Amino acid sequence: MKYLRHLILFFGLLCSAYPLAWMCVTAFRLEADAQASPFAFPKRWVIRNISKVFASGGFEDPWLNALLILVALCLAGLAVLVLLHIVQGRFQVSTCLSVIILISAIVFSKCHPSVQEALSGKGFANAYVNSLLVCIGSVALTVALSSLAAFAFALCEFRGRNTLFVIILAGMMLPVHVTLIPLNLLLGPGFLGLKESLWALVGPYVGFALPVSILILRSAFQAVPTELLDAARIDGCSTWQVFANVALPLARPAIATIVIFNFLTMWNEFAFALTLLGPDNSTLPIALNDFKGERGMYIAETCAALAIVVIPLMIVYGIAQKHIIKGLTAGAVKG
Amino acid sequence: MAKVTLEHVGKIYPGNVRAVKDFNLEIEDGEFIVLVGPSGCGKSTTLRMVAGLEEISEGTVKIGDRVVNDVLPKDRDIAMVFQNYALYPDKTVYENMAFCLRMRKYTGTGGRPKGIIRNFINWLGNRKQKNEDIDRRVKEAADILGIRDLLRRRPKALSGGQRQRVAVGRCIVRNPAVFLFDEPLSNLDAKMRVQMRTEISRLHNKLRTTMIYVTHDQTEAMTMGDRIVVMKDGIVQQVDSPSEIYDSPNNVFIAGFIGTPPMNFFEMEVREVNQKMVICDEAGAINLTLPPEWTGPLQPYIGKKVTFGLRPEHVGSPSAEAQYNPQTISATVEVIEPMGSETYLYMKVGSAGFVARVDPHRKCAVADKIDLAVMIEKAHLFDIETTNRIV
């Protein structure tokens, strides 16, 4: 029985790991080889595909584009760290410094002509930076809004609480693609005029992420022992301080869950990005789509691009999943 | 340090559920008062109203000379220990204890200076001073409770007793006017409970702060309180010192609630025989002559039924047996429970059962019929309808 279970698990691992491994290997093959026999083991390993992926960017030199992505990734990591610190209620010198670095990076990218030019082009590197900006911005906004809303739904008494909650949950039942045309009209030049800018994506992304996030966080806040909240009130916390100092740190596993969940959906989102962004702007799913032509596709190049897209995501997941598993409530009350 | 006064305090929950009714109590400065009663009697609600965690529906609560009905919990100058300790799991013991001090605004010695830069420097200086102040107070409190070596741990890594000590430490740090305890020992194991009980009593002797302690355990109430408030269904039954409550309970409920094993109750009829008051049960198995000084109060009850209450240590105990020519109840032994220092006999007489606390060396066996001496002047009689004590 035990061996059977292990066998099944191993089979599952094979199913999910094989495509990933194939993708990584194919990224280093010659395009002609890959076209001839896609599943064979490579005869020659080449790095050309990767430089080709980076070539379609704002800079002439593909490695400058790669550097741009790397810098963007580092800044994104920094932004995530800042968010984590804020969630933990620590406002230290290091947090302030990180915020200063982030702001200066944004100002620099807006003001320096060559970087500005590189960022405004349409290519893989730009799509990468765009995706990072949109996803991190949307996730941050989602966490901020949903944690506040969930706290109110879980722990504050007010009239119409349940009705409001049901209305928000009803948002989950709406098929996302139904809203494509209304959103196009709403964001179009007649109304908000945000179309073709990245802001056009942030709104819908956050909007559609909120119901699930609120649902998850609400149950996390409900699990916080009420005695702990009473103790905080006696210790001199206002409602806001109870939220920031006591409830939010305890909801960390739930926050990690919604961060990963929403980040994945936003990172892979295609329909909104295709319709709401103009022809000169794109996010990664759109950029990946460009590797596919009308008559066929560049297998090796696509794989290289995919690998570059997926690997940072896997690193983030690897770090964050520890937080999900670790139960932080242990030791709060009798245990 | 402060007096706490509750005047006509009541609590009505939504749906017109009355949890507390007309609660009047004046707690002296430095007094240790225990609220005791079965679960759902409103004792915790009363405490939470004093703490400010529940709104006060009726009446006023005063701490010191200030009416605190509309004062926020943090401004009431109180500290509270919870049943589940309520330590912040993500903070170390040190941070748990320092938290309430960190939440407070620290006003330095001087006022606010003029100018942004000077203000900033002043703020930095205050911050340093505040941290030093917090550090000193946390360490003082930790020394009082002997938890100095635990300061860097997290609550998860502590035992129940240690956690409770940290929870108490968190209160000491604030130096409050009133300590509130909400069943703080009920999550501990029996041995730890006894130890923490004496520790809290010792703490009270040391700090001499007003303490209000809620418990459902009558042993804790008896051992710790200067005065005990017995509650039932939201109504105060009796407020008195432990010995008064034990020796002259106001009604059947208190008599049965305080003391282990609880008081024995019999339904008896009062009769007058040869100008002496006598009580006897229906079957005639128990027949006891009452002391002459009870004749007056018992006059209206002649020929009526009353509840006769007799504590286990007043029947068959060494001091009862040592009386000169005692009255006795003869009953059948059902169960024998040797406790070491004494033996509990579960007796049966007629349809009634009772417990006797006898000498451990007394020889008897199950199903024996034995005579047990009664200390009749220690017994109580209660009105069967109002359940109030007659004598």
Side-chain angles (χ1 to χ4, degrees):
Chain A
M1 197 60 215
K2 198 178 161 195
Y3 292 108
L4 189 69
R5 197 160 35 188
H6 282 179
L7 206 70
I8 293 169
L9 285 175
F10 183 73
F11 185 70
L13 174 75
L14 215 62
C15 284
S16 50
Y18 175 71
L20 213 63
W22 175 79
M23 179 190 79
C24 290
V25 168
T26 311
F28 295 99
R29 296 184 69 180
L30 277 174
E31 185 61 45
D33 274 3
Q35 293 286 0
S37 53
F39 295 103
F41 203 74
K43 288 186 207 114
R44 250 182 77 200
W45 297 81
V46 289
I47 206 159
R48 193 181 308 156
N49 298 316
I50 292 171
S51 60
K52 243 176 156 180
V53 168
F54 287 131
S56 67
F59 289 115
E60 294 283 310
D61 186 352
W63 300 116
L64 260 183
N65 279 327
L67 187 71
L68 184 71
I69 289 176
L70 202 66
V71 170
L73 273 177
C74 290
L75 287 176
L78 198 65
V80 170
L81 272 183
V82 169
L83 280 180
L84 269 180
H85 268 243
I86 290 172
V87 166
Q88 290 181 347
R90 288 198 220 130
F91 301 98
Q92 291 160 337
V93 185
S94 58
T95 320
C96 295
L97 265 180
S98 317
V99 171
I100 290 167
I101 292 173
L102 280 176
I103 290 172
S104 51
I106 291 167
V107 170
F108 177 76
S109 66
K110 284 278 169 214
C111 298
H112 199 272
S114 70
V115 179
Q116 204 183 358
E117 207 173 300
L119 283 176
S120 63
K122 185 178 192 267
F124 186 77
N126 315 110
Y128 213 112
V129 175
N130 282 347
S131 263
L132 278 176
L133 274 177
V134 169
C135 290
I136 288 185
S138 306
V139 165
L141 211 57
T142 307
V143 170
L145 292 178
S146 62
S147 59
L148 284 169
F151 182 76
F153 278 126
L155 302 169
C156 302
E157 292 280 337
F158 57 90
R159 269 182 80 169
R161 180 170 78 161
N162 290 334
T163 323
L164 208 58
F165 186 63
V166 167
I167 290 173
I168 285 183
L169 282 195
M172 279 201 301
M173 294 172 206
L174 204 66
V176 175
H177 301 103
V178 164
T179 64
L180 274 176
I181 292 169
L183 268 178
N184 262 287
L185 291 174
L186 184 71
L187 294 165
F191 291 96
L192 294 173
L194 288 173
K195 232 175 125 183
E196 305 192 5
S197 83
L198 293 177
W199 289 108
L201 288 184
V202 174
Y205 281 5
V206 172
F208 284 108
L210 276 180
V212 188
S213 311
I214 290 175
L215 182 70
I216 293 172
L217 277 177
R218 189 181 92 125
S219 46
F221 283 133
Q222 275 173 339
V224 175
T226 42
E227 285 195 330
L228 218 52
L229 305 173
D230 288 343
R233 276 167 70 196
I234 286 181
D235 272 348
C237 291
S238 59
T239 308
W240 168 257
Q241 285 168 325
V242 170
F243 168 73
N245 289 312
V246 181
L248 207 52
L250 288 179
R252 242 180 309 178
I255 287 174
T257 310
I258 63 165
V259 164
I260 289 176
F261 179 76
N262 289 326
F263 195 86
L264 277 177
T265 16
M266 290 167 188
W267 191 251
N268 295 330
E269 208 286 324
F270 186 78
F272 283 124
L274 186 68
T275 52
L276 294 175
L277 291 180
D280 323 320
N281 230 344
S282 75
T283 57
L284 277 176
I286 313 295
L288 287 174
N289 196 42
D290 288 347
F291 285 96
K292 195 179 75 186
E294 225 169 285
R295 304 267 163 82
M297 68 189 292
Y298 301 106
I299 295 175
E301 238 175 80
T302 310
C303 283
L306 276 174
I308 296 164
V309 170
V310 163
I311 284 165
L313 213 63
M314 292 181 73
I315 293 170
V316 169
Y317 183 76
I319 295 168
Q321 71 148 350
K322 212 171 65 184
H323 263 294
I324 302 177
I325 294 165
K326 200 158 68 175
L328 267 161
T329 343
V333 292
K334 183 178 167 65
Chain B
M1 302 251 178
K3 254 166 80 163
V4 179
T5 319
L6 294 101
E7 283 165 358
H8 307 291
V9 171
K11 175 75 194 176
I12 303 164
Y13 280 113
N16 223 2
V17 182
R18 227 170 216 294
V20 181
K21 203 172 172 183
D22 197 28
F23 191 106
N24 288 293
L25 184 64
E26 198 158 302
I27 302 167
E28 295 301 324
D29 186 12
E31 195 175 20
F32 196 121
I33 202 120
V34 179
L35 306 186
V36 68
S39 48
C41 72
K43 55 193 192 303
S44 276
T45 309
T46 310
L47 191 77
R48 290 171 64 84
M49 282 195 283
V50 175
L53 298 172
E54 298 271 359
E55 227 172 281
I56 300 163
S57 317
E58 300 166 336
T60 52
V61 174
K62 276 194 214 163
I63 295 176
D65 296 324
R66 187 170 59 141
V67 176
V68 292
N69 280 31
D70 300 318
V71 178
L72 285 174
K74 60 172 177 156
D75 300 326
R76 290 193 182 192
D77 203 8
I78 47 147
M80 189 158 170
V81 179
F82 294 86
Q83 181 177 354
N84 292 329
Y85 324 129
L87 301 176
Y88 309 114
D90 57 318
K91 296 182 169 67
T92 60
V93 168
Y94 183 96
E95 281 306 316
N96 260 293
M97 288 167 76
F99 186 64
C100 63
L101 299 177
R102 290 206 197 285
M103 283 295 113
R104 270 189 206 168
K105 268 212 179 82
Y106 188 85
T107 42
T109 39
R112 282 167 71 93
K114 274 181 189 159
I116 293 171
I117 294 169
R118 260 186 251 165
N119 219 324
F120 181 70
I121 293 168
N122 186 47
W123 177 75
L124 278 182
N126 274 353
R127 213 174 103 107
K128 192 170 166 250
Q129 230 173 12
K130 182 180 176 178
N131 280 335
E132 279 168 4
D133 193 45
I134 288 172
D135 193 61
R136 184 176 51 76
R137 284 166 78 167
V138 167
K139 284 187 175 147
E140 267 174 23
D143 284 339
I144 291 177
L145 294 162
I147 50 172
R148 187 137 187 182
D149 47 336
L150 304 178
L151 284 178
R152 317 191 93 198
R153 292 212 212 154
R154 273 173 215 280
K156 202 165 44 176
L158 302 178
S159 71
Q162 287 169 332
R163 276 182 210 169
Q164 197 51 272
R165 233 169 270 167
V166 174
V168 174
R170 190 164 64 172
C171 296
I172 297 177
V173 163
R174 315 180 48 157
N175 192 18
V178 185
F179 270 86
L180 307 175
F181 293 90
D182 191 2
E183 308 211 8
L185 305 184
S186 38
N187 272 352
L188 300 176
D189 58 66
K191 202 175 165 193
M192 201 65 221
R193 205 176 299 167
V194 175
Q195 195 189 329
M196 282 305 286
R197 207 165 71 196
T198 51
E199 221 159 286
I200 291 176
S201 291
R202 204 175 300 144
L203 192 72
H204 177 242
N205 288 335
K206 198 168 187 169
L207 301 176
R208 281 280 146 215
T209 312
T210 314
M211 292 187 177
I212 308 178
Y213 188 104
V214 162
T215 179
H216 62 261
D217 180 10
Q218 51 92 18
T219 326
E220 272 171 35
M222 291 293 287
T223 49
M224 299 171 84
D226 291 333
R227 275 196 300 163
I228 297 178
V229 180
V230 186
M231 291 181 77
K232 188 196 169 196
D233 300 336
I235 299 166
V236 176
Q237 306 289 316
Q238 190 170 2
V239 184
D240 240 321
S241 68
S243 57
E244 271 300 300
I245 293 235
Y246 190 80
D247 290 338
S248 36
N250 272 357
N251 55 37
V252 172
F253 167 75
I254 302 166
F257 188 75
I258 303 286
T260 40
M263 191 185 269
N264 302 302
F265 295 109
F266 309 86
E267 203 172 285
M268 305 272 240
E269 202 184 314
V270 182
R271 288 188 194 148
E272 195 169 17
V273 180
N274 300 336
Q275 279 161 356
K276 277 184 182 167
M277 288 293 182
V278 172
I279 50 168
C280 49
D281 69 340
E282 250 168 41
I286 308 175
N287 213 325
L288 298 166
T289 309
L290 301 176
E293 60 269 27
W294 291 9
T295 315
L298 276 178
Q299 280 304 330
Y301 291 93
I302 293 171
K304 286 186 188 163
K305 294 235 161 142
V306 292
T307 307
F308 174 66
L310 188 62
R311 290 207 182 273
E313 65 264 35
H314 298 144
V315 50
S317 64
S319 52
E321 298 291 348
Q323 292 173 107
Y324 169 71
N325 197 10
Q327 303 190 61
T328 60
I329 299 176
S330 82
T332 321
V333 181
E334 277 199 318
V335 178
I336 303 171
E337 271 184 1
M339 305 301 283
S341 60
E342 60 209 12
T343 296
Y344 297 154
L345 296 181
Y346 289 80
M347 311 294 291
K348 185 106 184 154
V349 50
S351 60
F354 69 96
V355 188
R357 215 162 157 172
V358 303
D359 190 86
H361 303 294
R362 186 173 178 142
K363 296 263 182 301
C364 58
V366 173
D368 279 0
K369 191 158 181 155
I370 54 175
D371 286 347
L372 295 168
V374 177
M375 293 171 90
I376 191 73
E377 69 282 356
K378 298 273 191 188
H380 301 290
L381 291 178
F382 302 93
D383 190 305
I384 213 157
E385 266 152 33
T386 62
T387 76
N388 287 337
R389 185 165 58 95
I390 307 161
V391 282

